[in-house]
Amino acid sequence: MATTPILTMLDSLVTRISTQWGPTGNDAVSRVYQTPVKTSEIVGRKVYLFPAEYDDESATRAEDLITYRVAIIVAERYEAAGEPTVAWVDTRVDFVNDLLDWLEFLGTSGNPLHAIGTREIKTLSREPVQVYDVEMLVKHKMFWSELEFTFQELA
């Protein structure tokens, strides 16, 4: 069981995404360290979370300001004959938009902070690095999206 703050953060995000999304069949969300090299072996929609960066600095004498940067890849291969349809790609782009919303923790009534035990974490930034990779879609019939989030907490 992971105890490093960024890893417990990632594990809690895996749980949050799974709860919000409800993957079925071959779909899955997981914390990983490597991107799958053989995209041809991907079956179902996969959401991979990676630890990207971790910083811990003093905020006050009593508190530390911890910043986490998390990378996320959404990957799904189009398995039907022919080219991926506009409707199929639209559904995956909508999912990426949902993912951005599910992980936005602002500390407002509509968007509370993310709690891990007594820890309260807010989202500093969220951005699609690449909503979808055109080359992956055309050459491999693979929807591939890359996202980055920066989270922060006082501890």
Side-chain angles (χ1 to χ4, degrees):
M1 176 150 201
T3 58
T4 302
I6 192 167
L7 298 180
T8 58
M9 168 71 178
L10 283 166
D11 289 343
S12 74
L13 295 177
V14 165
T15 300
R16 173 146 177 104
I17 294 166
S18 291
T19 300
Q20 293 290 322
W21 172 30
T24 59
N26 291 315
D27 299 338
V29 56
S30 56
R31 173 174 58 88
V32 297
Y33 291 104
Q34 295 181 34
T35 306
V37 177
K38 294 183 179 180
T39 56
S40 62
E41 295 177 1
I42 293 177
V43 177
R45 185 175 309 162
K46 306 298 184 203
V47 179
Y48 302 108
L49 286 82
F50 303 81
E53 191 174 289
Y54 178 84
D55 187 36
D56 187 352
E57 61 184 75
S58 292
T60 67
R61 283 202 236 177
E63 294 179 306
D64 289 333
L65 185 64
I66 304 172
T67 304
Y68 313 96
R69 196 164 54 83
V70 173
I72 298 177
I73 291 176
V74 177
E76 186 172 358
R77 192 163 34 91
Y78 185 73
E79 297 189 35
E83 298 300 314
T85 65
V86 170
W88 185 86
V89 176
D90 286 351
T91 300
R92 277 86 201 144
V93 171
D94 286 345
F95 177 81
V96 167
N97 187 68
D98 289 342
L99 192 55
L100 288 166
D101 290 343
W102 295 336
L103 302 183
E104 185 170 45
F105 314 116
L106 300 177
T108 63
S109 60
N111 256 340
L113 296 176
H114 182 59
I116 305 173
T118 58
R119 296 165 55 197
E120 292 187 327
I121 298 164
K122 70 178 178 178
T123 305
L124 285 185
S125 67
R126 62 187 185 106
E127 56 190 78
V129 175
Q130 189 170 40
V131 175
Y132 74 98
D133 184 317
V134 175
E135 185 175 335
M136 289 289 281
L137 191 62
V138 171
K139 286 187 177 180
H140 304 286
K141 294 174 43 168
M142 172 72 66
F143 179 85
W144 189 274
S145 179
E146 298 177 15
L147 311 162
E148 282 189 7
F149 290 82
T150 304
F151 301 101
Q152 197 170 63
E153 73 173 299
L154 278 174

